[in-house]
Amino acid sequence: PRHGGEWRTEWMENYDSGPFKEQVEWELYHQKQADLLLYYFAADTISPITLFELGLFHDRKPVVGVDPAYKRIGNLMITKDHFDLDIHVGWDRFVAALERGLDQIS
């Protein structure tokens, strides 16, 4: 995988698009290699790819945060119960959990 770089909206989101495929492969590779995974679901997003990645890597017990106004918060809370995840509602709780996670890997 290449260096990642910046996402470009003009990339065609299909398997045959070289830059798009390289970017997605880069993201998945680095999530597999990371010591700590973080996912935050902001209020003004739906974040289908982040939901998908959380599903892929839920067994790594990522630090997950969600804004209380996130449109799919119900789905996250059901997923939390099903997979025994900690989901931190609100930015401050997410950051506190991130700090604890960083302390554990230091």
Side-chain angles (χ1 to χ4, degrees):
R2 64 187 203 118
H3 57 70
E6 290 193 28
W7 182 261
R8 299 209 175 116
T9 56
E10 69 270 11
W11 289 346
M12 300 215 23
E13 291 194 30
N14 65 48
Y15 185 80
D16 295 326
S17 173
F20 173 74
K21 184 177 179 186
E22 286 180 26
Q23 181 63 34
V24 172
E25 287 174 346
W26 183 90
E27 293 170 11
L28 293 170
Y29 173 82
H30 285 3
Q31 285 178 86
K32 286 170 53 178
Q33 301 303 313
D35 293 328
L36 181 64
L37 293 171
L38 312 169
Y39 302 105
Y40 188 80
F41 297 89
D44 58 348
T45 66
I46 296 175
S47 305
I49 300 303
T50 308
L51 286 168
F52 176 66
E53 291 169 344
L54 175 58
L56 288 174
F57 298 108
H58 73 275
D59 59 337
R60 302 264 314 274
K61 300 295 182 191
V63 176
V64 181
V66 60
D67 187 289
Y70 175 63
K71 295 169 184 66
R72 303 288 190 260
I73 194 168
N75 183 278
L76 280 177
M77 294 309 177
I78 292 167
T79 302
K80 169 187 83 70
D81 293 343
H82 189 80
F83 290 110
D84 192 30
L85 294 172
D86 291 327
I87 295 184
H88 310 280
V89 179
W91 182 255
D92 292 340
R93 290 182 178 178
F94 172 67
V95 171
L98 164 59
E99 290 171 347
R100 288 189 302 274
L102 289 172
D103 286 344
Q104 291 176 355
I105 64 171
S106 299

